[in-house]
């Protein structure tokens, strides 16, 4: 359970960072609770001509994001919400689009898909049923009780890495994700959007994202792969939409992490040097944990 708890805490701390926002070709709307007391997420719509991407930033405890890809005649959902209040809002919005749901994708996150068939990257069904993921979901159930949705019960269809499938008339290419993460996919949607587990963030990273030098190398390789797709928008199951500049920034930041790990004698000096290199960057609270992980792993 300690491993599971560290994963949960890492997700929450990672999502507390401030992310860059892309304001091109979008409309936004805030959704509020029935008593109008607090916002429950925002929808961000991007129009790419032949399809639209509806991004639901849930603002839940995990900082999750969910997605609807709207084709000409039908819809594809991806990473549906975990919490019931968000699931209800998502389903209401989905219905308002007045098109049938042709497919549902679960890449890294299980959500409110019920008995619907799921499209998943190859290898992920075993992960979903394995001890780390199922233990994490059990922890969520203990912590949040009936505030979260029931686990999906539908069948799964696995998509091989580097394969392209057309869903609602839109091409989805399942690229291999980072080697230090679950074996989910970086999904290229059309030619314009890449979905990853974490949206590239212009903020200090944490030990969950890249807690070893091998992990840092894996993330750099992942970012260089998604940059090479030529996409202009980068979204994640956690974090807000990012730009090409954000991806390039994170590559440079991670290379600086590698450099400082070599030149700094201990975790404390590493932390000080990294913060000094990026004095105005948000997420400083995560640097000590990143440093501890990098130095204890060697």
């Amino acid at each position: 359970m300690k491993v599971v708890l560290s994963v949960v805490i890492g997700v929450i701390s990672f999502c507390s960072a401030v992310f860059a926002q892309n304001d091109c070709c979008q409309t936004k709307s805030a959704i509020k609770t029935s008593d109008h007391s607090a916002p429950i997420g925002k929808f961000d719509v991007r129009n790419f001509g032949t399809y639209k991407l509806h991004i639901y930033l849930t603002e839940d405890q995990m900082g999750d994001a969910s997605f609807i890809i709207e084709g000409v005649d039908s819809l594809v959902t991806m990473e549906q919400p975990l919490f019931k209040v968000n699931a209800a809002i998502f389903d209401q919005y989905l219905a308002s689009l007045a098109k049938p749901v042709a497919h549902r994708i679960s890449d890294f996150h299980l959500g409110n898909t019920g008995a619907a068939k799921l499209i998943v990257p190859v290898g992920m069904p075993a992960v979903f049923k394995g001890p780390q993921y199922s233990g994490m979901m059990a922890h969520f159930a203990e912590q949040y009780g009936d505030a979260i949705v029931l686990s999906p019960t539908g069948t799964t269809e696995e998509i091989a890495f580097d394969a392209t499938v057309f869903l609602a008339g839109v091409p989805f290419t399942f690229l291999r994700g980072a080697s230090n993460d679950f074996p989910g996919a970086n999904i290229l949607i059309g030619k314009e959007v890449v979905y990853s587990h974490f949206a590239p963030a212009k903020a200090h990273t944490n030990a969950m994202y890249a807690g070893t030098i091998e992990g840092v190398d894996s993330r750099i390789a992942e970012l260089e792969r998604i940059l090479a797709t030529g996409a202009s928008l980068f979204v994640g199951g956690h974090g807000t939409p990012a730009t090409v500049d954000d991806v390039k920034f994170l590559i440079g930041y991670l290379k600086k992490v590698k450099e400082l790990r070599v030149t700094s004698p201990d975790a404390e000096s590493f932390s000080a040097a990294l913060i000094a290199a990026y004095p105005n960057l948000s997420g400083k609270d995560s640097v000590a944990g990143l440093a501890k992980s990098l130095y204890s792993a060697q």
Side-chain angles (χ1 to χ4, degrees):
M1 185 60 74
K2 287 183 179 179
V3 173
V4 173
L5 285 172
S6 67
V7 170
V8 175
I9 293 168
V11 169
I12 294 171
S13 61
F14 186 93
C15 299
S16 66
V18 176
F19 296 95
Q21 186 74 26
N22 180 355
D23 293 322
C24 177
C25 307
Q26 65 180 314
T27 59
K28 297 180 183 179
S29 59
I31 304 297
K32 294 183 179 293
T33 58
S34 58
D35 66 356
H36 305 286
S37 61
I40 302 294
K42 299 180 179 68
F43 280 91
D44 179 349
V45 184
R46 309 295 178 105
N47 191 340
F48 295 99
T50 57
Y51 68 94
K52 292 180 181 179
L53 176 66
H54 302 256
I55 306 165
Y56 177 35
L57 302 173
T58 66
E59 299 181 358
D60 68 10
Q61 289 89 331
M62 308 302 161
D64 288 345
S66 299
F67 305 87
I68 302 165
I69 297 85
E70 180 182 359
V72 175
D73 300 315
S74 58
L75 308 169
V76 178
T77 72
M78 187 166 67
E79 310 291 67
Q80 291 188 206
L82 176 65
F83 288 84
K84 288 180 180 178
V85 63
N86 300 111
I89 291 168
F90 183 88
D91 287 344
Q92 181 182 25
Y93 184 91
L94 187 66
S96 75
L97 299 177
K99 293 179 181 179
V101 178
H103 304 280
R104 300 178 192 263
I105 299 172
S106 282
D107 190 357
F108 289 94
H109 298 157
L110 293 175
N112 65 313
T113 54
K117 179 181 178 180
L118 292 177
I119 292 176
V120 300
V122 64
M124 277 307 287
V127 172
F128 287 147
K129 295 175 183 177
Q132 185 177 4
Y133 199 97
S134 60
M136 181 174 68
M137 295 302 289
H139 173 73
F140 291 159
E142 292 174 2
Q143 185 171 5
Y144 301 114
D146 63 1
I148 63 174
V149 300
L150 296 175
S151 295
T153 59
T155 59
T156 56
E157 176 184 353
E158 297 183 58
I159 306 298
F161 292 117
D162 298 321
T164 298
V165 293
F166 283 80
L167 309 175
V170 180
F172 290 73
T173 302
F174 282 62
L175 305 172
R176 191 177 297 275
S179 60
N180 66 326
D181 208 338
F182 293 129
N186 292 320
I187 303 176
L188 175 63
I189 304 168
K191 296 180 179 180
E192 301 83 5
V193 183
V194 172
Y195 167 82
S196 303
H197 192 184
F198 300 101
K202 191 172 284 186
H204 285 292
T205 191
N206 70 6
M208 180 188 178
Y209 184 74
T212 64
I213 290 299
E214 293 78 13
V216 173
D217 285 335
S218 175
R219 292 299 183 180
I220 292 172
E222 175 190 38
L223 292 164
E224 290 177 339
R225 284 196 301 270
I226 65 175
L227 191 62
T229 64
S232 58
L233 181 66
F234 302 86
V235 298
H238 307 287
T240 59
T243 66
V244 168
D245 285 344
D246 296 325
V247 179
K248 291 179 178 178
F249 172 86
L250 187 52
I251 291 171
Y253 172 91
L254 292 173
K255 288 181 177 180
K256 175 60 72 172
V257 166
K258 286 189 65 177
E259 174 191 322
L260 293 177
R261 177 60 184 84
V262 172
T263 59
S264 302
D266 52 43
E268 291 73 18
S269 59
F270 169 90
S271 296
L274 186 58
I275 290 172
Y278 300 94
N280 300 317
L281 202 61
S282 63
K284 291 183 177 68
D285 290 347
S286 66
V287 172
L290 172 65
K292 180 179 179 181
S293 181
L294 287 172
Y295 279 77
S296 65
Q298 303 301 316

